[in-house]
Amino acid sequence: SDGSIRLHQMTSEYPVMQWNDSTNGQPVIALQWALTRPAVFFVLDASSNIYIWDLLENDLLPVAKQTIPSENVVTMTLLGEPEKTNGLLGIALAKESGQIDIQYVKKKWALP
């Protein structure tokens, strides 16, 4: 609820990494690991911002931020086929009106 993100290892109750205020204090609505690239995850905050984290490129800050204009996004999920190496990765965004928007991710964050 405060915008912090914690990375845990299954064998410990304490986080391996913690990023405080990673969304400028906005609650995290959804977080999902990329299906095609294990070091990348996506975060959606309550202000309809999507943050892309690539831990191999920068483990302190997100590598990109995209604001979804015009309408609140209530949830997201990632689309892709991890067994394929074509680098296709999409984000399905569910908006407050019930509309679904699908966007493709740049290959640099999708390729294995």
Side-chain angles (χ1 to χ4, degrees):
S1 66
D2 64 358
S4 64
I5 298 170
R6 293 181 247 339
L7 176 65
H8 284 266
Q9 186 174 11
M10 296 296 288
T11 57
S12 174
E13 65 182 281
Y14 302 104
V16 175
M17 294 279 297
Q18 180 168 329
W19 299 277
N20 294 320
D21 200 31
S22 63
T23 58
N24 296 318
Q26 290 296 313
V28 172
I29 302 298
L31 185 149
Q32 191 169 355
W33 286 98
L35 302 170
T36 57
R37 188 177 173 104
V40 174
F41 64 92
F42 296 78
V43 176
L44 170 67
D45 75 11
S47 293
S48 298
N49 296 304
I50 297 174
Y51 302 84
I52 302 173
W53 290 77
D54 184 344
L55 299 179
L56 295 178
E57 187 177 326
N58 187 340
D59 64 357
L60 299 176
L61 299 167
V63 293
K65 175 185 171 185
Q66 177 67 48
T67 301
I68 307 301
S70 75
E71 192 177 345
N72 282 343
V73 177
V74 294
T75 193
M76 73 170 184
T77 192
L78 297 179
L79 312 166
E81 298 176 274
E83 63 278 355
K84 293 188 178 178
T85 59
N86 60 8
L88 284 178
L89 181 65
I91 303 177
L93 304 168
K95 296 185 176 182
E96 206 168 42
S97 66
Q99 181 183 19
I100 303 293
D101 186 16
I102 297 177
Q103 299 185 6
Y104 286 98
V105 175
K106 289 182 179 180
K107 286 199 183 279
K108 70 178 182 177
W109 296 310
L111 286 172

